[in-house]
Amino acid sequence: MKPYWSETLRGLSPYVPGEQPQQASLLKLNTNENPYAPSPAALAAIRAAADGDLRLYPDPDGSALKRAVAAAHGLDTANVFLGNGSDEVLAHAFLGLLKHPRPLLFPDITYSFYPVYCALYDIAYEEIPLDGEFRVRLGDYARPNGGIVLPNPNAPTGIALSRAELRSLLAGNPDSVVLVDEAYVDFGAESAVPLIGEFANLLVTQTLSKSRALAGLRVGYALGAPDLIGALETVKGCFNSYPLDRLALAGATAALADNAWFADTCGKIAASRDWLTAELGKLGFEVLPSRANFVFARHATRSGASLQQALRARNVLVRRFDRPRIADFLRITVGTQAECETLLASLREIGLD
Amino acid sequence: MKPYWSETLRGLSPYVPGEQPQQASLLKLNTNENPYAPSPAALAAIRAAADGDLRLYPDPDGSALKRAVAAAHGLDTANVFLGNGSDEVLAHAFLGLLKHPRPLLFPDITYSFYPVYCALYDIAYEEIPLDGEFRVRLGDYARPNGGIVLPNPNAPTGIALSRAELRSLLAGNPDSVVLVDEAYVDFGAESAVPLIGEFANLLVTQTLSKSRALAGLRVGYALGAPDLIGALETVKGCFNSYPLDRLALAGATAALADNAWFADTCGKIAASRDWLTAELGKLGFEVLPSRANFVFARHATRSGASLQQALRARNVLVRRFDRPRIADFLRITVGTQAECETLLASLREIGLD
């Protein structure tokens, strides 16, 4: 421990994001980015906002973007909280809504940032094991808790719960917040957003990083009852008054209005995913049934580490988590159809067929 | 207290930023923005970065911008921490470096976000009164402490400490971090940055919001010994892997390279400030000796509230803090020379002469 460091930092291990190589020659299937360029309307809005008004602070409330988010989901702006990527939104939710004497519950195999937030904010938690098929068993969450966090679809498995399943979970936990992290929902899972009017304990987070192809812009949001949004606004107001810059506000607002781009690209990615799933199966992979823009797959005979290394040698990046139960799985982002074909060709070169 | 809110939120009162009106007809002298448009090179870099690569995450380390910041200050990239505005940098510093059993010290009249961070992170603190002339008396900081935070120049007074004074403070507090918040330093105060090699306990924060005219881009940074920077990187890595978007990284990197723009605009603002100070004196104001891009002034006979209201009626926004000792002061941002003249004309209309 360093002499000037606060006790809070003792033992903290930061989240490790996927590699962001600076060379352009790599096929990047490791961080679940969208393979398509973002909406041209978003890019045009950003360029238009790159003017002398950048000398001025942004709107601290992000009112125009809140209206766009609310409109996209049939909600009111009082149901919307904005953040600098959904990671910031999640951080504020962990501190403001999920830190309680009773433990927070989330799956043992899930987004690996959750236990990091818990360590940062000293939040008690229990990891609930996925079942033998890597599915969330909702019955396992019927225990005293201070909150529940579930990504839907789950990451890195890609497996989704139905809205009916989430409804039963919400109804069974009226005293604690259920946070449904919908980073990947737009690629084919059922959103919990229509349940917001019904459940005061439901908080949904979404991001523009995946389905809107704006990972480089850092915009995420939470949706929920005004009381939950108020908690997030309180944390935000004590942390950073202006988390979204003028360019992010402008670009995100325009992106949310481009429904044609959104439907087209999400549809293409979902189709490529289903095709890739089938093709990987033919090469000897077990592929979990994904509703996200990635697949989680392990080969019958080859270790995950050896495959990841062999792909890297062919300039293809995929992600692997060196953790119990899943160390042999590769998490592979769904690229364009041509990129999926390049991946499969590389796997054949490695000797799979 | 709302049922779902964590105990952490109990009694929190968010920082209240200055008004950001949406109508353009107002003369905005209330939030210390730069009156000049940012460097054209920064705007060009942003427009160039508004392309299909926004689908990709930013460099989580912001390496190119770190190199630019380090070069601008004659430091190494290991001395640089980047954040989403210096408010985020400050928040991480409060949690990671200033939260200790002994109380944090800062002036009673200073940036009003400091006690908010303390409330958010449960940090013990003592406010040290400025003296009768609203100056920091360094002797008052010679007491057991877990850290010291001083803006230099101080806000909202604008009064600066010399580098020699800061050196003696640093030497007298080897066991705690001294954070010098240099949001306004470029308008005429002595920076503490040259002391970084000498003092392992010195952390300096700066921002591109004021002297680089990029409040709308949200970029700030901290400079210090690698051990202090490491603490901030640890907090950041447990909070949000990518706090700066691709556009902010590109724009800030270009802005820092435009030395001609920087010297020209800082010089103009400093000249207008000194002229405005003299002119306000002629109208019956006591003006504290400012080294920032704002002045802090109270009139001999008119209340601060009445003047603020009368200026607002003439479409001129200035800031006032309704707090003991300073409720009659107006904090007036230094605009262009023409804007300063408009302000003075409005004050004459109100009946000052």
Side-chain angles (χ1 to χ4, degrees), chain A residues 2 4-6 8-9 12 14-15 17 20 31 33-38 43 46-47 50-52 54-58 60 84 87-88 91-92 95-97 99-100 113 116-117 120-121 174-177 200-201 209-210 213-218 227-228 230-231 234-235 237-243 245-247, chain B residues 2 4-6 8-9 12 14-15 17 20 31 33-38 43 46-47 50-52 54-58 60 84 87-88 91-92 95-97 99-100 113 116-117 120-121 174-177 200-201 209-210 213-218 227-228 230-231 234-235 237-243 245-247:
Chain A
K2 312 300 175 61
Y4 296 119
W5 292 29
S6 74
T8 302
L9 302 192
L12 285 187
Y15 173 78
Q20 291 293 332
T31 50
E33 288 142 337
N34 197 307
Y36 300 104
L43 299 181
I46 290 165
R47 285 191 285 262
D51 66 8
L54 277 178
R55 72 180 186 83
L56 300 170
Y57 283 97
N84 178 27
D87 283 347
E88 184 180 78
H92 290 345
L95 181 59
L97 291 167
K99 179 177 178 163
H100 292 291
F113 219 135
V116 176
Y117 296 132
L120 179 66
Y121 296 132
D175 295 331
S176 50
V177 171
N201 60 331
S209 294
K210 315 295 183 184
L214 287 168
L217 201 58
R218 318 304 307 123
D227 171 54
L228 302 188
T234 299
V235 178
C238 295
F239 177 80
N240 188 358
S241 304
Y242 312 94
D245 66 51
R246 285 177 166 263
L247 305 165
Chain B
K2 312 298 176 61
Y4 296 119
W5 292 29
S6 75
T8 303
L9 302 192
L12 285 188
Y15 173 78
Q20 292 293 333
T31 51
E33 289 142 336
N34 197 306
Y36 300 105
L43 300 181
I46 290 165
R47 285 190 285 262
D51 66 10
L54 277 178
R55 72 179 185 84
L56 300 170
Y57 282 98
N84 178 28
D87 283 347
E88 184 180 78
H92 290 345
L95 181 59
L97 290 167
K99 179 176 178 163
H100 293 290
F113 220 134
V116 176
Y117 296 131
L120 180 65
Y121 295 131
D175 295 332
S176 50
V177 171
N201 58 332
S209 295
K210 315 294 184 184
L214 287 168
L217 202 59
R218 317 304 307 124
D227 171 55
L228 303 188
T234 299
V235 178
C238 295
F239 177 79
N240 188 357
S241 304
Y242 312 94
D245 65 52
R246 285 177 165 263
L247 305 164

Side-chain angles (χ1 to χ4, degrees), chain B:
Chain B
M1 194 62 184
K2 312 298 176 61
Y4 296 119
W5 292 29
S6 75
E7 189 71 22
T8 303
L9 302 192
R10 189 180 298 273
L12 285 188
S13 296
Y15 173 78
V16 180
E19 185 185 358
Q20 292 293 333
Q22 298 306 303
Q23 65 261 49
S25 61
L26 295 168
L27 175 52
K28 238 185 129 287
L29 303 177
N30 67 326
T31 51
N32 297 343
E33 289 142 336
N34 197 306
Y36 300 105
S39 158
L43 300 181
I46 290 165
R47 285 190 285 262
D51 66 10
D53 279 355
L54 277 178
R55 72 179 185 84
L56 300 170
Y57 282 98
D59 174 6
D61 295 320
S63 307
L65 178 54
K66 276 189 184 173
R67 287 193 294 273
V69 172
H73 294 286
L75 295 169
D76 187 83
T77 54
N79 299 116
V80 180
F81 176 77
L82 304 174
N84 178 28
S86 62
D87 283 347
E88 184 180 78
V89 177
L90 289 168
H92 290 345
F94 273 67
L95 181 59
L97 290 167
L98 303 173
K99 179 176 178 163
H100 293 290
R102 285 179 294 182
L104 180 65
L105 310 180
F106 49 79
D108 66 334
I109 297 171
T110 192
Y111 185 31
S112 51
F113 220 134
Y114 301 154
V116 176
Y117 296 131
C118 290
L120 180 65
Y121 295 131
D122 194 22
I123 299 170
Y125 68 97
E126 288 177 17
E127 295 180 326
I128 310 295
L130 299 182
D131 72 10
E133 293 180 309
F134 299 98
R135 293 179 178 276
V136 170
R137 277 190 309 214
L138 286 181
D140 295 344
Y141 291 78
R143 62 173 79 187
N145 67 75
I148 295 172
V149 178
L150 287 175
N152 194 42
N154 194 14
T157 65
I159 298 174
L161 294 164
S162 71
R163 189 177 299 145
E165 289 175 296
L166 290 171
R167 175 181 274 120
S168 84
L169 184 72
L170 287 156
N173 287 276
D175 295 332
S176 50
V177 171
V178 176
L179 191 161
V180 183
D181 179 349
E182 295 191 346
Y184 299 103
V185 77
D186 294 324
F187 301 106
E190 287 185 325
S191 174
V193 169
L195 304 178
I196 284 174
E198 202 174 328
F199 293 102
N201 58 332
L202 169 60
L203 191 73
V204 177
T205 55
Q206 295 197 355
T207 174
L208 275 69
S209 295
K210 315 294 184 184
S211 59
R212 300 285 176 173
L214 287 168
L217 202 59
R218 317 304 307 124
V219 181
Y221 53 86
L223 304 170
D227 171 55
L228 303 188
I229 299 303
L232 300 177
E233 295 287 0
T234 299
V235 178
K236 177 254 189 187
C238 295
F239 177 79
N240 188 357
S241 304
Y242 312 94
L244 277 84
D245 65 52
R246 285 177 165 263
L247 305 164
L249 290 171
T253 303
L256 285 167
D258 194 344
N259 294 319
W261 179 96
F262 182 64
D264 177 55
T265 53
C266 289
K268 284 193 287 194
I269 290 166
S272 294
R273 173 195 64 216
D274 295 344
W275 178 82
L276 178 63
T277 298
E279 293 298 310
L280 287 170
K282 294 178 195 167
L283 294 183
F285 281 94
E286 171 195 7
V287 188
L288 301 187
S290 172
R291 308 303 290 167
N293 71 335
F294 57 83
V295 296
F296 202 51
R298 87 179 136 190
H299 196 262
T301 60
R302 302 279 286 267
S303 77
S306 71
L307 286 174
Q308 183 183 32
Q309 196 171 13
L311 285 170
R312 173 81 202 215
R314 284 160 183 79
N315 291 326
V316 179
L317 296 189
V318 300
R319 190 126 197 231
R320 195 175 66 85
F321 300 91
D322 204 1
R323 295 193 48 185
R325 299 180 69 193
I326 59 170
D328 276 330
F329 278 86
L330 302 179
R331 195 197 65 184
I332 306 170
T333 304
V334 177
T336 63
Q337 189 68 14
E339 289 170 341
C340 291
E341 286 169 11
T342 300
L343 166 75
L344 292 165
S346 297
L347 289 169
R348 289 190 194 98
E349 276 178 37
I350 293 166
L352 306 187
D353 56 20

